Amino acid sequence: MKTYKHEAQMLKKALQVGELYAQQRGFAKFPAGTSEKDKVAAIYMLLAEDKQLTPLPKDKQTGPEMRHKLVLWLAKQLPEDHHLLET
């Protein structure tokens, strides 16, 4: 499993980009106070449904696994020389 030096920052950015993607698809913004866990699950499911990322097997859909999938999804969106992609 590939890990990144700035994985926490990448997850934060992935949630921002994922929320924008969801809004462009017609979904409402997350209400204030929505937990990170809920945001990760919702964005992961939307991206998997839209075939933007390869879904995990049902038994592997845990918080850490979904967060990592979002980080990998974001890594593919960033330019190769982006500072967050340091390993």
Side-chain angles (χ1 to χ4, degrees), residues 13-14 31 43 48 65 71 82-83 87:
K13 187 69 171 173
I43 293 170
E65 295 286 339
V71 167
H82 197 280
H83 73 281
T87 55

Side-chain angles (χ1 to χ4, degrees), residues 51-62:
K51 301 192 183 343
Q52 296 295 313
L53 54 78
T54 306
L56 294 162
K58 294 277 184 203
D59 62 327
K60 301 283 186 186
Q61 290 182 1
T62 63

Side-chain angles (χ1 to χ4, degrees), residues 1 44 56 60-70:
M1 179 183 336
Y44 166 81
L56 294 162
K60 301 283 186 186
Q61 290 182 1
T62 63
E65 295 286 339
M66 287 190 286
R67 284 194 298 272
H68 187 70
K69 274 292 200 178
L70 290 178

Side-chain angles (χ1 to χ4, degrees), residues 2-79:
K2 187 170 186 174
T3 58
Y4 294 95
K5 186 176 179 180
H6 304 288
E7 197 154 326
Q9 292 171 320
M10 289 179 74
L11 176 62
K12 185 176 179 178
K13 187 69 171 173
L15 291 176
Q16 291 172 345
V17 173
E19 188 169 354
L20 286 173
Y21 176 81
Q23 287 175 354
Q24 290 172 348
R25 290 265 285 107
F27 293 93
K29 284 184 83 167
F30 288 109
T34 303
S35 71
E36 181 181 285
K37 178 183 172 186
D38 292 339
K39 288 180 183 181
V40 165
I43 293 170
Y44 166 81
M45 288 182 208
L46 175 63
L47 292 173
E49 180 70 27
D50 287 355
K51 301 192 183 343
Q52 296 295 313
L53 54 78
T54 306
L56 294 162
K58 294 277 184 203
D59 62 327
K60 301 283 186 186
Q61 290 182 1
T62 63
E65 295 286 339
M66 287 190 286
R67 284 194 298 272
H68 187 70
K69 274 292 200 178
L70 290 178
V71 167
L72 293 176
W73 170 74
L74 178 69
K76 291 179 182 176
Q77 313 301 316
L78 296 175

